[in-house]
Amino acid sequence: MADKPVRADKASAVSELTDHFRASTATVLTEYRGLTVKELTELRRSLGSEAKYAVAKNTLAKRAATDAGIEGLDALFTGPTALAFVKGDVVEAAKGLRAFAKAHPVLVIKGGVFEGKALTADEVNKLADLESREVLLAKLAGAMKGNLTKAAGLFQAPLAQVARLGAALQEKREKEGSAEA
């Protein structure tokens, strides 16, 4: 396939798709058969500015994926294929695609690629089940803060015990001193 001469317009399309594959954190492949132009526009808007949703010919997309060094997607390039190139938060894009697919059952998530690893449709849906990056970072920060607070308490405990012991000894001496007098 790589040895065949390619027309200039197709070479340009392959080059553009290859650049998208390389620049994206993740790419999700979908089948869009049955969606209207209005629904596709709605889908593009729902993905936000961090994702680009493009319809592509399977042969060109397959060649672009190969040129970008991505393997394991060949079986997904059947039927009408559209690609969601995600440059931002992959979880948010996966959630957007899943929500749109629930509202419009004709949109089928075929699978994708995340950080160079091919994903099945189920794995893309598992990504959508994750919480957003910001929420996960906030939970991590909260857990770390809680552990630091516990550690500070543990380090202060011996000092507090020494202070209480000193106060108790002083009180005992005062009682012994007043009893002798």
Side-chain angles (χ1 to χ4, degrees), residues 100-161:
F100 191 87
K102 282 183 181 177
H104 302 88
V106 292
L107 179 76
V108 177
I109 297 173
K110 296 180 179 183
V113 62
F114 178 57
E115 295 181 347
K117 180 186 175 284
L119 302 174
T120 64
D122 289 336
E123 290 171 326
V124 172
N125 284 325
K126 284 180 185 175
L127 273 176
D129 290 335
L130 292 175
E131 292 174 334
S132 72
R133 184 176 190 270
E134 290 79 19
V135 171
L136 291 174
L137 287 174
K139 284 185 176 184
L140 177 64
M144 290 174 65
K145 180 181 176 192
N147 287 336
L148 289 175
T149 304
K150 286 180 189 176
L154 285 174
F155 291 132
Q156 288 177 350
L159 294 174
Q161 286 176 342

Side-chain angles (χ1 to χ4, degrees), residues 23-170:
S24 300
T25 309
T27 303
V28 180
L29 282 75
T30 64
E31 182 175 319
Y32 64 94
R33 185 185 333 216
L35 289 175
T36 65
V37 173
K38 181 181 177 185
E39 291 169 335
L40 283 172
T41 303
E42 181 185 335
L43 173 58
R44 285 184 176 101
R45 284 190 188 128
S46 72
L47 292 176
S49 63
E50 297 285 326
K52 176 178 174 39
Y53 191 74
V55 174
K57 287 188 135 196
N58 287 330
T59 53
L60 300 180
K62 194 184 295 188
R63 177 173 270 179
T66 303
D67 289 352
I70 298 170
E71 297 177 5
L73 297 181
D74 288 351
L76 302 178
F77 289 112
T78 57
T81 302
L83 305 148
F85 296 104
V86 183
K87 293 184 181 173
D89 190 0
V90 178
V91 173
E92 288 302 315
K95 285 181 181 185
L97 281 168
R98 184 175 64 179
F100 191 87
K102 282 183 181 177
H104 302 88
V106 292
L107 179 76
V108 177
I109 297 173
K110 296 180 179 183
V113 62
F114 178 57
E115 295 181 347
K117 180 186 175 284
L119 302 174
T120 64
D122 289 336
E123 290 171 326
V124 172
N125 284 325
K126 284 180 185 175
L127 273 176
D129 290 335
L130 292 175
E131 292 174 334
S132 72
R133 184 176 190 270
E134 290 79 19
V135 171
L136 291 174
L137 287 174
K139 284 185 176 184
L140 177 64
M144 290 174 65
K145 180 181 176 192
N147 287 336
L148 289 175
T149 304
K150 286 180 189 176
L154 285 174
F155 291 132
Q156 288 177 350
L159 294 174
Q161 286 176 342
V162 168
R164 284 193 299 272
L165 179 63
L169 284 173
Q170 184 179 3

